[in-house]
Structure formats: C-alpha cells, structure tokens
PDB file of all heavy atoms in Angstrom:
ATOM      1  N   THR E1468     116.025 110.016  96.925  1.00  0.00           N
ATOM      2  CA  THR E1468     116.599 110.646  98.115  1.00  0.00           C
ATOM      3  C   THR E1468     117.286 109.618  98.998  1.00  0.00           C
ATOM      4  O   THR E1468     118.376 109.858  99.530  1.00  0.00           O
ATOM      5  CB  THR E1468     115.506 111.381  98.904  1.00  0.00           C
ATOM      6  OG1 THR E1468     114.853 112.329  98.057  1.00  0.00           O
ATOM      7  CG2 THR E1468     116.084 112.104 100.113  1.00  0.00           C
ATOM      8  N   ALA E1469     116.654 108.465  99.135  1.00  0.00           N
ATOM      9  CA  ALA E1469     117.239 107.399  99.948  1.00  0.00           C
ATOM     10  C   ALA E1469     118.596 106.970  99.406  1.00  0.00           C
ATOM     11  O   ALA E1469     119.544 106.728 100.167  1.00  0.00           O
ATOM     12  CB  ALA E1469     116.283 106.208  99.994  1.00  0.00           C
ATOM     13  N   GLN E1470     118.721 106.888  98.099  1.00  0.00           N
ATOM     14  CA  GLN E1470     119.979 106.460  97.494  1.00  0.00           C
ATOM     15  C   GLN E1470     121.111 107.444  97.800  1.00  0.00           C
ATOM     16  O   GLN E1470     122.267 107.040  97.941  1.00  0.00           O
ATOM     17  CB  GLN E1470     119.791 106.295  95.984  1.00  0.00           C
ATOM     18  CG  GLN E1470     118.913 105.101  95.636  1.00  0.00           C
ATOM     19  CD  GLN E1470     118.509 105.059  94.171  1.00  0.00           C
ATOM     20  OE1 GLN E1470     118.552 106.081  93.481  1.00  0.00           O
ATOM     21  NE2 GLN E1470     118.103 103.901  93.694  1.00  0.00           N
ATOM     22  N   ILE E1471     120.783 108.716  97.935  1.00  0.00           N
ATOM     23  CA  ILE E1471     121.803 109.715  98.300  1.00  0.00           C
ATOM     24  C   ILE E1471     122.118 109.647  99.789  1.00  0.00           C
ATOM     25  O   ILE E1471     123.280 109.613 100.199  1.00  0.00           O
ATOM     26  CB  ILE E1471     121.325 111.127  97.928  1.00  0.00           C
ATOM     27  CG1 ILE E1471     121.176 111.260  96.406  1.00  0.00           C
ATOM     28  CG2 ILE E1471     122.284 112.193  98.464  1.00  0.00           C
ATOM     29  CD1 ILE E1471     120.447 112.513  95.970  1.00  0.00           C
ATOM     30  N   MET E1472     121.079 109.588 100.615  1.00  0.00           N
ATOM     31  CA  MET E1472     121.279 109.624 102.061  1.00  0.00           C
ATOM     32  C   MET E1472     121.896 108.341 102.598  1.00  0.00           C
ATOM     33  O   MET E1472     122.433 108.328 103.711  1.00  0.00           O
ATOM     34  CB  MET E1472     119.945 109.919 102.758  1.00  0.00           C
ATOM     35  CG  MET E1472     119.411 111.312 102.472  1.00  0.00           C
ATOM     36  SD  MET E1472     117.931 111.731 103.427  1.00  0.00           S
ATOM     37  CE  MET E1472     118.606 111.858 105.093  1.00  0.00           C
ATOM     38  N   ALA E1473     121.853 107.272 101.809  1.00  0.00           N
ATOM     39  CA  ALA E1473     122.426 105.997 102.246  1.00  0.00           C
ATOM     40  C   ALA E1473     123.938 106.086 102.441  1.00  0.00           C
ATOM     41  O   ALA E1473     124.535 105.250 103.128  1.00  0.00           O
ATOM     42  CB  ALA E1473     122.102 104.901 101.226  1.00  0.00           C
ATOM     43  N   ALA E1474     124.569 107.110 101.875  1.00  0.00           N
ATOM     44  CA  ALA E1474     126.016 107.261 102.023  1.00  0.00           C
ATOM     45  C   ALA E1474     126.419 107.472 103.476  1.00  0.00           C
ATOM     46  O   ALA E1474     127.504 107.036 103.893  1.00  0.00           O
ATOM     47  CB  ALA E1474     126.508 108.428 101.166  1.00  0.00           C
ATOM     48  N   ASP E1475     125.551 108.115 104.258  1.00  0.00           N
ATOM     49  CA  ASP E1475     125.920 108.380 105.648  1.00  0.00           C
ATOM     50  C   ASP E1475     124.786 108.154 106.640  1.00  0.00           C
ATOM     51  O   ASP E1475     124.831 108.664 107.767  1.00  0.00           O
ATOM     52  CB  ASP E1475     126.479 109.795 105.795  1.00  0.00           C
ATOM     53  CG  ASP E1475     125.583 110.861 105.174  1.00  0.00           C
ATOM     54  OD1 ASP E1475     124.433 110.536 104.805  1.00  0.00           O
ATOM     55  OD2 ASP E1475     126.031 112.024 105.072  1.00  0.00           O
ATOM     56  N   HIS E1476     123.775 107.405 106.226  1.00  0.00           N
ATOM     57  CA  HIS E1476     122.681 107.054 107.136  1.00  0.00           C
ATOM     58  C   HIS E1476     122.268 105.597 106.933  1.00  0.00           C
ATOM     59  O   HIS E1476     122.322 105.082 105.808  1.00  0.00           O
ATOM     60  CB  HIS E1476     121.436 107.920 106.872  1.00  0.00           C
ATOM     61  CG  HIS E1476     121.570 109.344 107.264  1.00  0.00           C
ATOM     62  ND1 HIS E1476     122.215 110.282 106.480  1.00  0.00           N
ATOM     63  CD2 HIS E1476     121.143 110.015 108.380  1.00  0.00           C
ATOM     64  CE1 HIS E1476     122.176 111.460 107.083  1.00  0.00           C
ATOM     65  NE2 HIS E1476     121.538 111.327 108.226  1.00  0.00           N
ATOM     66  N   HIS E1477     121.835 104.978 107.993  1.00  0.00           N
ATOM     67  CA  HIS E1477     121.062 103.745 107.871  1.00  0.00           C
ATOM     68  C   HIS E1477     119.624 104.181 107.608  1.00  0.00           C
ATOM     69  O   HIS E1477     119.117 105.102 108.256  1.00  0.00           O
ATOM     70  CB  HIS E1477     121.124 102.912 109.145  1.00  0.00           C
ATOM     71  CG  HIS E1477     120.173 101.750 109.134  1.00  0.00           C
ATOM     72  ND1 HIS E1477     120.378 100.632 108.352  1.00  0.00           N
ATOM     73  CD2 HIS E1477     118.995 101.550 109.783  1.00  0.00           C
ATOM     74  CE1 HIS E1477     119.369  99.783 108.520  1.00  0.00           C
ATOM     75  NE2 HIS E1477     118.526 100.311 109.387  1.00  0.00           N
ATOM     76  N   LEU E1478     118.969 103.558 106.646  1.00  0.00           N
ATOM     77  CA  LEU E1478     117.657 104.023 106.215  1.00  0.00           C
ATOM     78  C   LEU E1478     116.537 103.081 106.626  1.00  0.00           C
ATOM     79  O   LEU E1478     116.673 101.855 106.556  1.00  0.00           O
ATOM     80  CB  LEU E1478     117.636 104.186 104.698  1.00  0.00           C
ATOM     81  CG  LEU E1478     118.628 105.212 104.148  1.00  0.00           C
ATOM     82  CD1 LEU E1478     118.598 105.205 102.631  1.00  0.00           C
ATOM     83  CD2 LEU E1478     118.324 106.605 104.678  1.00  0.00           C
ATOM     84  N   VAL E1479     115.442 103.697 107.028  1.00  0.00           N
ATOM     85  CA  VAL E1479     114.194 102.968 107.242  1.00  0.00           C
ATOM     86  C   VAL E1479     113.192 103.531 106.239  1.00  0.00           C
ATOM     87  O   VAL E1479     112.792 104.695 106.334  1.00  0.00           O
ATOM     88  CB  VAL E1479     113.672 103.118 108.678  1.00  0.00           C
ATOM     89  CG1 VAL E1479     112.319 102.413 108.828  1.00  0.00           C
ATOM     90  CG2 VAL E1479     114.672 102.552 109.673  1.00  0.00           C
ATOM     91  N   LEU E1480     112.823 102.720 105.277  1.00  0.00           N
ATOM     92  CA  LEU E1480     111.875 103.129 104.244  1.00  0.00           C
ATOM     93  C   LEU E1480     110.480 102.684 104.639  1.00  0.00           C
ATOM     94  O   LEU E1480     110.293 101.611 105.226  1.00  0.00           O
ATOM     95  CB  LEU E1480     112.234 102.501 102.897  1.00  0.00           C
ATOM     96  CG  LEU E1480     113.681 102.649 102.414  1.00  0.00           C
ATOM     97  CD1 LEU E1480     113.840 102.000 101.044  1.00  0.00           C
ATOM     98  CD2 LEU E1480     114.108 104.096 102.397  1.00  0.00           C
ATOM     99  N   THR E1481     109.499 103.487 104.293  1.00  0.00           N
ATOM    100  CA  THR E1481     108.122 103.078 104.552  1.00  0.00           C
ATOM    101  C   THR E1481     107.227 103.473 103.399  1.00  0.00           C
ATOM    102  O   THR E1481     107.448 104.476 102.719  1.00  0.00           O
ATOM    103  CB  THR E1481     107.589 103.667 105.872  1.00  0.00           C
ATOM    104  OG1 THR E1481     106.297 103.122 106.135  1.00  0.00           O
ATOM    105  CG2 THR E1481     107.486 105.181 105.808  1.00  0.00           C
ATOM    106  N   ASP E1482     106.245 102.633 103.139  1.00  0.00           N
ATOM    107  CA  ASP E1482     105.276 102.807 102.063  1.00  0.00           C
ATOM    108  C   ASP E1482     104.244 101.698 102.254  1.00  0.00           C
ATOM    109  O   ASP E1482     104.280 100.965 103.250  1.00  0.00           O
ATOM    110  CB  ASP E1482     105.962 102.710 100.693  1.00  0.00           C
ATOM    111  CG  ASP E1482     105.365 103.676  99.670  1.00  0.00           C
ATOM    112  OD1 ASP E1482     104.129 103.824  99.679  1.00  0.00           O
ATOM    113  OD2 ASP E1482     106.117 104.253  98.873  1.00  0.00           O
ATOM    114  N   LEU E1483     103.356 101.540 101.278  1.00  0.00           N
ATOM    115  CA  LEU E1483     102.305 100.527 101.392  1.00  0.00           C
ATOM    116  C   LEU E1483     102.599  99.238 100.621  1.00  0.00           C
ATOM    117  O   LEU E1483     101.966  98.218 100.858  1.00  0.00           O
ATOM    118  CB  LEU E1483     100.966 101.091 100.896  1.00  0.00           C
ATOM    119  CG  LEU E1483     100.327 102.163 101.768  1.00  0.00           C
ATOM    120  CD1 LEU E1483      99.151 102.802 101.036  1.00  0.00           C
ATOM    121  CD2 LEU E1483      99.869 101.571 103.095  1.00  0.00           C
ATOM    122  N   ASP E1484     103.548  99.287  99.681  1.00  0.00           N
ATOM    123  CA  ASP E1484     103.803  98.171  98.773  1.00  0.00           C
ATOM    124  C   ASP E1484     105.009  97.360  99.242  1.00  0.00           C
ATOM    125  O   ASP E1484     106.158  97.799  99.097  1.00  0.00           O
ATOM    126  CB  ASP E1484     104.036  98.729  97.363  1.00  0.00           C
ATOM    127  CG  ASP E1484     104.104  97.642  96.298  1.00  0.00           C
ATOM    128  OD1 ASP E1484     104.551  96.519  96.609  1.00  0.00           O
ATOM    129  OD2 ASP E1484     103.718  97.920  95.151  1.00  0.00           O
ATOM    130  N   ASP E1485     104.747  96.180  99.785  1.00  0.00           N
ATOM    131  CA  ASP E1485     105.800  95.324 100.322  1.00  0.00           C
ATOM    132  C   ASP E1485     106.841  94.976  99.262  1.00  0.00           C
ATOM    133  O   ASP E1485     108.053  95.069  99.491  1.00  0.00           O
ATOM    134  CB  ASP E1485     105.176  94.056 100.904  1.00  0.00           C
ATOM    135  CG  ASP E1485     106.176  93.211 101.661  1.00  0.00           C
ATOM    136  OD1 ASP E1485     107.012  92.558 101.006  1.00  0.00           O
ATOM    137  OD2 ASP E1485     106.118  93.187 102.907  1.00  0.00           O
ATOM    138  N   ALA E1486     106.371  94.580  98.080  1.00  0.00           N
ATOM    139  CA  ALA E1486     107.293  94.167  97.019  1.00  0.00           C
ATOM    140  C   ALA E1486     108.172  95.330  96.558  1.00  0.00           C
ATOM    141  O   ALA E1486     109.381  95.168  96.332  1.00  0.00           O
ATOM    142  CB  ALA E1486     106.514  93.597  95.840  1.00  0.00           C
ATOM    143  N   ALA E1487     107.567  96.513  96.415  1.00  0.00           N
ATOM    144  CA  ALA E1487     108.332  97.679  95.981  1.00  0.00           C
ATOM    145  C   ALA E1487     109.356  98.086  97.038  1.00  0.00           C
ATOM    146  O   ALA E1487     110.482  98.497  96.708  1.00  0.00           O
ATOM    147  CB  ALA E1487     107.394  98.837  95.677  1.00  0.00           C
ATOM    148  N   LEU E1488     108.995  97.977  98.307  1.00  0.00           N
ATOM    149  CA  LEU E1488     109.926  98.297  99.377  1.00  0.00           C
ATOM    150  C   LEU E1488     111.084  97.307  99.416  1.00  0.00           C
ATOM    151  O   LEU E1488     112.239  97.695  99.625  1.00  0.00           O
ATOM    152  CB  LEU E1488     109.200  98.310 100.726  1.00  0.00           C
ATOM    153  CG  LEU E1488     108.321  99.532 100.989  1.00  0.00           C
ATOM    154  CD1 LEU E1488     107.395  99.282 102.169  1.00  0.00           C
ATOM    155  CD2 LEU E1488     109.170 100.778 101.244  1.00  0.00           C
ATOM    156  N   THR E1489     110.784  96.039  99.208  1.00  0.00           N
ATOM    157  CA  THR E1489     111.837  95.022  99.151  1.00  0.00           C
ATOM    158  C   THR E1489     112.837  95.343  98.047  1.00  0.00           C
ATOM    159  O   THR E1489     114.057  95.289  98.240  1.00  0.00           O
ATOM    160  CB  THR E1489     111.227  93.630  98.911  1.00  0.00           C
ATOM    161  OG1 THR E1489     110.359  93.296 100.002  1.00  0.00           O
ATOM    162  CG2 THR E1489     112.306  92.565  98.797  1.00  0.00           C
ATOM    163  N   ALA E1490     112.316  95.705  96.876  1.00  0.00           N
ATOM    164  CA  ALA E1490     113.182  96.051  95.745  1.00  0.00           C
ATOM    165  C   ALA E1490     114.014  97.297  96.051  1.00  0.00           C
ATOM    166  O   ALA E1490     115.192  97.380  95.679  1.00  0.00           O
ATOM    167  CB  ALA E1490     112.340  96.274  94.494  1.00  0.00           C
ATOM    168  N   ALA E1491     113.416  98.271  96.732  1.00  0.00           N
ATOM    169  CA  ALA E1491     114.128  99.502  97.074  1.00  0.00           C
ATOM    170  C   ALA E1491     115.283  99.221  98.030  1.00  0.00           C
ATOM    171  O   ALA E1491     116.391  99.751  97.855  1.00  0.00           O
ATOM    172  CB  ALA E1491     113.159 100.512  97.686  1.00  0.00           C
ATOM    173  N   VAL E1492     115.034  98.401  99.030  1.00  0.00           N
ATOM    174  CA  VAL E1492     116.100  98.035  99.973  1.00  0.00           C
ATOM    175  C   VAL E1492     117.226  97.311  99.244  1.00  0.00           C
ATOM    176  O   VAL E1492     118.418  97.568  99.485  1.00  0.00           O
ATOM    177  CB  VAL E1492     115.530  97.166 101.117  1.00  0.00           C
ATOM    178  CG1 VAL E1492     116.659  96.528 101.921  1.00  0.00           C
ATOM    179  CG2 VAL E1492     114.647  98.005 102.030  1.00  0.00           C
ATOM    180  N   GLU E1493     116.880  96.419  98.325  1.00  0.00           N
ATOM    181  CA  GLU E1493     117.898  95.705  97.556  1.00  0.00           C
ATOM    182  C   GLU E1493     118.741  96.662  96.718  1.00  0.00           C
ATOM    183  O   GLU E1493     119.958  96.493  96.609  1.00  0.00           O
ATOM    184  CB  GLU E1493     117.226  94.659  96.660  1.00  0.00           C
ATOM    185  CG  GLU E1493     116.631  93.491  97.439  1.00  0.00           C
ATOM    186  CD  GLU E1493     115.839  92.537  96.562  1.00  0.00           C
ATOM    187  OE1 GLU E1493     115.598  92.861  95.375  1.00  0.00           O
ATOM    188  OE2 GLU E1493     115.451  91.452  97.059  1.00  0.00           O
ATOM    189  N   GLN E1494     118.106  97.693  96.145  1.00  0.00           N
ATOM    190  CA  GLN E1494     118.856  98.684  95.368  1.00  0.00           C
ATOM    191  C   GLN E1494     119.852  99.434  96.239  1.00  0.00           C
ATOM    192  O   GLN E1494     120.999  99.668  95.849  1.00  0.00           O
ATOM    193  CB  GLN E1494     117.891  99.680  94.723  1.00  0.00           C
ATOM    194  CG  GLN E1494     117.110  99.141  93.543  1.00  0.00           C
ATOM    195  CD  GLN E1494     116.252 100.231  92.903  1.00  0.00           C
ATOM    196  OE1 GLN E1494     116.701 101.367  92.711  1.00  0.00           O
ATOM    197  NE2 GLN E1494     115.021  99.899  92.578  1.00  0.00           N
ATOM    198  N   ILE E1495     119.406  99.832  97.418  1.00  0.00           N
ATOM    199  CA  ILE E1495     120.271 100.581  98.326  1.00  0.00           C
ATOM    200  C   ILE E1495     121.435  99.712  98.797  1.00  0.00           C
ATOM    201  O   ILE E1495     122.593 100.156  98.840  1.00  0.00           O
ATOM    202  CB  ILE E1495     119.454 101.115  99.515  1.00  0.00           C
ATOM    203  CG1 ILE E1495     118.513 102.232  99.032  1.00  0.00           C
ATOM    204  CG2 ILE E1495     120.372 101.640 100.622  1.00  0.00           C
ATOM    205  CD1 ILE E1495     117.435 102.588 100.005  1.00  0.00           C
ATOM    206  N   GLU E1496     121.153  98.478  99.123  1.00  0.00           N
ATOM    207  CA  GLU E1496     122.207  97.575  99.575  1.00  0.00           C
ATOM    208  C   GLU E1496     123.191  97.268  98.452  1.00  0.00           C
ATOM    209  O   GLU E1496     124.395  97.115  98.697  1.00  0.00           O
ATOM    210  CB  GLU E1496     121.590  96.296 100.136  1.00  0.00           C
ATOM    211  CG  GLU E1496     120.841  96.542 101.446  1.00  0.00           C
ATOM    212  CD  GLU E1496     120.176  95.297 102.003  1.00  0.00           C
ATOM    213  OE1 GLU E1496     119.979  94.341 101.212  1.00  0.00           O
ATOM    214  OE2 GLU E1496     119.852  95.279 103.202  1.00  0.00           O
ATOM    215  N   ALA E1497     122.708  97.208  97.215  1.00  0.00           N
ATOM    216  CA  ALA E1497     123.594  96.982  96.073  1.00  0.00           C
ATOM    217  C   ALA E1497     124.567  98.134  95.880  1.00  0.00           C
ATOM    218  O   ALA E1497     125.662  97.951  95.329  1.00  0.00           O
ATOM    219  CB  ALA E1497     122.766  96.770  94.806  1.00  0.00           C
ATOM    220  N   LEU E1498     124.174  99.315  96.337  1.00  0.00           N
ATOM    221  CA  LEU E1498     125.030 100.493  96.251  1.00  0.00           C
ATOM    222  C   LEU E1498     125.956 100.625  97.460  1.00  0.00           C
ATOM    223  O   LEU E1498     126.701 101.596  97.581  1.00  0.00           O
ATOM    224  CB  LEU E1498     124.171 101.758  96.135  1.00  0.00           C
ATOM    225  CG  LEU E1498     123.336 101.898  94.845  1.00  0.00           C
ATOM    226  CD1 LEU E1498     122.377 103.073  94.955  1.00  0.00           C
ATOM    227  CD2 LEU E1498     124.250 102.061  93.638  1.00  0.00           C
ATOM    228  N   GLY E1499     125.882  99.658  98.363  1.00  0.00           N
ATOM    229  CA  GLY E1499     126.748  99.662  99.531  1.00  0.00           C
ATOM    230  C   GLY E1499     126.134 100.268 100.773  1.00  0.00           C
ATOM    231  O   GLY E1499     126.806 100.397 101.803  1.00  0.00           O
ATOM    232  N   GLY E1500     124.859 100.634 100.707  1.00  0.00           N
ATOM    233  CA  GLY E1500     124.178 101.210 101.859  1.00  0.00           C
ATOM    234  C   GLY E1500     123.498 100.158 102.708  1.00  0.00           C
ATOM    235  O   GLY E1500     123.493  98.964 102.379  1.00  0.00           O
ATOM    236  N   SER E1501     122.913 100.603 103.799  1.00  0.00           N
ATOM    237  CA  SER E1501     122.150  99.687 104.667  1.00  0.00           C
ATOM    238  C   SER E1501     120.746 100.241 104.834  1.00  0.00           C
ATOM    239  O   SER E1501     120.556 101.445 105.005  1.00  0.00           O
ATOM    240  CB  SER E1501     122.823  99.534 106.034  1.00  0.00           C
ATOM    241  OG  SER E1501     122.852 100.767 106.733  1.00  0.00           O
ATOM    242  N   ALA E1502     119.773  99.359 104.748  1.00  0.00           N
ATOM    243  CA  ALA E1502     118.380  99.809 104.815  1.00  0.00           C
ATOM    244  C   ALA E1502     117.484  98.679 105.271  1.00  0.00           C
ATOM    245  O   ALA E1502     117.831  97.496 105.181  1.00  0.00           O
ATOM    246  CB  ALA E1502     117.925 100.315 103.445  1.00  0.00           C
ATOM    247  N   GLU E1503     116.334  99.064 105.769  1.00  0.00           N
ATOM    248  CA  GLU E1503     115.262  98.141 106.109  1.00  0.00           C
ATOM    249  C   GLU E1503     113.963  98.843 105.787  1.00  0.00           C
ATOM    250  O   GLU E1503     113.958 100.013 105.395  1.00  0.00           O
ATOM    251  CB  GLU E1503     115.320  97.770 107.587  1.00  0.00           C
ATOM    252  CG  GLU E1503     115.170  98.969 108.532  1.00  0.00           C
ATOM    253  CD  GLU E1503     115.421  98.604 109.983  1.00  0.00           C
ATOM    254  OE1 GLU E1503     114.467  98.083 110.606  1.00  0.00           O
ATOM    255  OE2 GLU E1503     116.551  98.839 110.465  1.00  0.00           O
ATOM    256  N   TYR E1504     112.846  98.134 105.919  1.00  0.00           N
ATOM    257  CA  TYR E1504     111.580  98.794 105.620  1.00  0.00           C
ATOM    258  C   TYR E1504     110.488  98.358 106.581  1.00  0.00           C
ATOM    259  O   TYR E1504     110.564  97.299 107.213  1.00  0.00           O
ATOM    260  CB  TYR E1504     111.154  98.546 104.170  1.00  0.00           C
ATOM    261  CG  TYR E1504     110.658  97.144 103.861  1.00  0.00           C
ATOM    262  CD1 TYR E1504     109.321  96.794 104.090  1.00  0.00           C
ATOM    263  CD2 TYR E1504     111.507  96.196 103.310  1.00  0.00           C
ATOM    264  CE1 TYR E1504     108.862  95.526 103.800  1.00  0.00           C
ATOM    265  CE2 TYR E1504     111.054  94.926 103.004  1.00  0.00           C
ATOM    266  CZ  TYR E1504     109.725  94.595 103.252  1.00  0.00           C
ATOM    267  OH  TYR E1504     109.269  93.328 102.961  1.00  0.00           O
ATOM    268  N   VAL E1505     109.492  99.220 106.666  1.00  0.00           N
ATOM    269  CA  VAL E1505     108.285  98.938 107.442  1.00  0.00           C
ATOM    270  C   VAL E1505     107.098  99.313 106.569  1.00  0.00           C
ATOM    271  O   VAL E1505     107.000 100.465 106.118  1.00  0.00           O
ATOM    272  CB  VAL E1505     108.235  99.760 108.749  1.00  0.00           C
ATOM    273  CG1 VAL E1505     106.942  99.448 109.514  1.00  0.00           C
ATOM    274  CG2 VAL E1505     109.459  99.486 109.609  1.00  0.00           C
ATOM    275  N   VAL E1506     106.211  98.368 106.303  1.00  0.00           N
ATOM    276  CA  VAL E1506     104.984  98.684 105.580  1.00  0.00           C
ATOM    277  C   VAL E1506     104.057  99.431 106.534  1.00  0.00           C
ATOM    278  O   VAL E1506     103.764  98.957 107.631  1.00  0.00           O
ATOM    279  CB  VAL E1506     104.299  97.402 105.064  1.00  0.00           C
ATOM    280  CG1 VAL E1506     102.961  97.739 104.395  1.00  0.00           C
ATOM    281  CG2 VAL E1506     105.197  96.670 104.079  1.00  0.00           C
ATOM    282  N   ALA E1507     103.631 100.625 106.130  1.00  0.00           N
ATOM    283  CA  ALA E1507     102.798 101.425 107.026  1.00  0.00           C
ATOM    284  C   ALA E1507     101.914 102.378 106.247  1.00  0.00           C
ATOM    285  O   ALA E1507     102.282 102.854 105.171  1.00  0.00           O
ATOM    286  CB  ALA E1507     103.665 102.221 108.002  1.00  0.00           C
ATOM    287  N   ASP E1508     100.753 102.640 106.813  1.00  0.00           N
ATOM    288  CA  ASP E1508      99.790 103.607 106.278  1.00  0.00           C
ATOM    289  C   ASP E1508      99.922 104.885 107.097  1.00  0.00           C
ATOM    290  O   ASP E1508      99.605 104.898 108.293  1.00  0.00           O
ATOM    291  CB  ASP E1508      98.378 103.018 106.395  1.00  0.00           C
ATOM    292  CG  ASP E1508      97.292 103.948 105.886  1.00  0.00           C
ATOM    293  OD1 ASP E1508      97.593 105.111 105.540  1.00  0.00           O
ATOM    294  OD2 ASP E1508      96.122 103.525 105.856  1.00  0.00           O
ATOM    295  N   ILE E1509     100.380 105.964 106.481  1.00  0.00           N
ATOM    296  CA  ILE E1509     100.640 107.190 107.239  1.00  0.00           C
ATOM    297  C   ILE E1509      99.359 107.871 107.721  1.00  0.00           C
ATOM    298  O   ILE E1509      99.430 108.787 108.544  1.00  0.00           O
ATOM    299  CB  ILE E1509     101.485 108.193 106.432  1.00  0.00           C
ATOM    300  CG1 ILE E1509     100.776 108.615 105.142  1.00  0.00           C
ATOM    301  CG2 ILE E1509     102.865 107.630 106.159  1.00  0.00           C
ATOM    302  CD1 ILE E1509     101.432 109.797 104.441  1.00  0.00           C
ATOM    303  N   THR E1510      98.202 107.453 107.231  1.00  0.00           N
ATOM    304  CA  THR E1510      96.954 108.035 107.732  1.00  0.00           C
ATOM    305  C   THR E1510      96.595 107.477 109.105  1.00  0.00           C
ATOM    306  O   THR E1510      95.672 107.981 109.746  1.00  0.00           O
ATOM    307  CB  THR E1510      95.788 107.801 106.756  1.00  0.00           C
ATOM    308  OG1 THR E1510      95.465 106.402 106.708  1.00  0.00           O
ATOM    309  CG2 THR E1510      96.135 108.291 105.357  1.00  0.00           C
TER     310      THR E1510
END
C-alpha cells in the first residue's frame, strides 16, 4: 500500500522491526517516493 500511496503522499511507516522498516523506506525512495519511519508498538 505504501508503494502505491508514495506517488502522492509523504509516508511515515511504523512497525516493530527497525531493519525491515529501513529496507521499506529504501524501497519507496528507490521508486521516487519520500518516506521515513518510526519504530512503535501500537499496543
């Protein structure tokens, strides 16, 4: 979903895995989007 929404949104991704989030941001940026992440526990 993030890869689609990156076309017209700046994205803030959140999850528990720092390394996976880093990789996700890199994927989005490679596609020309902009993103950042915050490691967070939604509970």
